[in-house]
Amino acid sequence: MEYFTLNNGTKMPAEGFGVFQIPDPVQCEEVVYNAIKTGYRLIDTAASYMNEEAVGKAVKRAIADGLVTREELFITTKIWVQDQENEETAYQAIRTSLKKLDMEYVDLILLHQAMKDYFAAYRGMEKAYREGLVKAIGVANFFPEVLTNLCETVEIMPAVNQIEMHPFFTQEKAIENMRRYNVVPQAWGPLDEGRHGIFTDPELTAIGSRYGKSAAQTALRWNVQRGVSIIPKSTHVERMEQNIDIWDFSLTDEEMKTVSAKDLGHSEIINHYDPDLVRVLDNMKIHG
């Protein structure tokens, strides 16, 4: 595994494991336990995924079984929009997440969306950071103009910005802007949630075959090779193993360009620029 050194000196694995859309607690606990057993050390959850308790149980079980220590793990969670009302609601949301995870700290906390009063919410994260409840703070789904405004205003620079990034939505300008502020780009949906035939794409398959790798491994390698952290998700151990087996080969400059040329220039998963979506997310409540 390779690591990124965040702008506060914290080390973060370049590849992690995401648990979006695994709400069943029994399944989520088993999946996370298997991910840790497979070798993943970064686990990415969120309050809105409704599975923080399951992640916490899996971590505790893995530690009890001697697979890993807490210090070897990097746990990320996120504050949902409903708790981005002000500094105190964000701060209390972090404490709620810690209680659900049954942890004294998380390694990274993110604002999940650039919505509600996210500047006030960010101050709540800064407070938690100063108290040692979180090792690093960052954001998710913050587009270049919004991230720029945040970075030019806040006291503590965000360490990570987690956005959608894969061969069909490369986000090169967003990455370039993050680098200016020393913010690590992290890709959610690095396999485009299976869209565009990514697992059987002829060009990705052809590139991968030169190294004994799959189209999916090619797509993942392309992202990390351009300095992007990735958090693929799978409930199948075989796929988990395959997704993490990307550290023994490198793509050529020409191969990197071939993958990048697939860019459509927009998301086909979610349109954050849609006012109707913003209204839905602004009013979406999660339990607890």
Side-chain angles (χ1 to χ4, degrees):
M1 179 58 64
E2 295 177 8
Y3 290 80
F4 286 108
T5 300
L6 304 183
N7 55 25
N8 68 349
T10 300
K11 287 199 177 298
M12 180 181 76
E15 182 174 8
F17 186 81
V19 297
F20 178 51
Q21 293 177 329
I22 314 179
D24 179 80
V26 175
Q27 182 189 28
C28 185
E29 180 183 341
E30 193 63 25
V31 164
V32 172
Y33 181 85
N34 286 334
I36 294 171
K37 196 172 181 180
T38 300
Y40 291 88
R41 294 296 176 260
L42 189 166
I43 306 296
D44 177 275
T45 184
S48 65
Y49 298 171
M50 308 298 291
N51 55 21
E52 288 173 310
E53 295 100 328
V55 169
K57 286 178 181 177
V59 166
K60 186 163 277 192
R61 183 174 146 204
I63 292 171
D65 289 352
L67 298 180
V68 72
T69 65
R70 174 63 184 92
E71 293 72 28
E72 290 172 320
L73 292 171
F74 191 101
I75 308 298
T76 300
T77 193
K78 310 175 192 78
I79 300 171
W80 184 240
V81 177
Q82 72 180 36
D83 295 314
Q84 295 179 189
E85 295 276 2
N86 54 57
E87 180 177 336
E88 186 59 22
T89 56
Y91 177 79
Q92 290 303 327
I94 294 170
R95 298 197 73 94
T96 297
S97 286
L98 288 174
K99 187 176 179 181
K100 288 182 175 181
L101 287 161
D102 195 15
M103 295 177 185
E104 294 181 1
Y105 69 92
V106 288
D107 299 273
L108 178 65
I109 189 82
L110 306 177
L111 291 182
H112 209 145
Q113 305 282 349
M115 295 177 185
K116 296 290 187 187
D117 190 348
Y118 55 84
F119 276 101
Y122 196 88
R123 288 193 292 274
M125 293 201 305
E126 290 178 322
K127 178 182 176 183
Y129 175 75
R130 292 190 184 99
E131 291 181 2
L133 300 180
V134 301
K135 301 296 185 184
I137 61 177
V139 294
N141 302 304
F142 273 54
F143 299 106
E145 69 281 4
V146 178
L147 182 69
T148 298
N149 189 36
L150 184 82
C151 290
E152 293 288 344
T153 307
V154 297
E155 224 173 288
I156 301 172
M157 201 68 74
V160 171
N161 183 20
Q162 187 184 115
I163 62 175
E164 178 188 350
M165 284 179 282
H166 48 75
F168 301 99
F169 193 28
T170 63
Q171 302 254 46
E172 293 289 352
K173 288 184 179 178
I175 293 171
E176 186 180 328
N177 188 58
M178 285 183 233
R179 287 192 182 121
R180 176 169 182 162
Y181 294 102
N182 199 20
V183 176
V184 172
Q186 186 171 65
W188 65 257
L191 295 173
D192 195 17
E193 296 186 348
R195 287 172 171 78
H196 297 103
I198 192 169
F199 299 120
T200 55
D201 181 89
E203 289 176 310
L204 295 177
T205 299
I207 292 171
S209 67
R210 296 169 197 157
Y211 306 98
K213 302 294 181 180
S214 67
Q217 288 170 310
T218 301
L220 295 175
R221 179 66 206 180
W222 164 82
N223 241 335
V224 296
Q225 203 164 308
R226 65 191 189 126
V228 174
S229 168
I230 54 173
I231 46 170
K233 180 202 93 174
S234 178
T235 56
H236 305 288
V237 173
E238 300 78 16
R239 186 64 63 80
M240 290 180 197
E241 292 171 345
Q242 185 184 93
N243 288 346
I244 205 172
D245 185 22
I246 61 169
W247 304 102
D248 58 352
F249 76 111
S250 295
L251 303 182
T252 65
D253 290 345
E254 197 59 41
E255 289 166 340
M256 290 290 289
K257 288 176 186 174
T258 298
V259 179
S260 296
K262 295 183 175 298
D263 184 31
L264 299 172
H266 63 270
S267 171
E268 293 192 344
I269 295 176
I270 186 169
N271 179 12
H272 281 101
Y273 296 100
D274 178 6
D276 288 335
L277 174 72
V278 174
R279 277 186 281 272
V280 168
L281 297 183
D282 251 337
N283 293 284
M284 178 180 150
K285 304 295 182 185
I286 59 172
H287 302 298

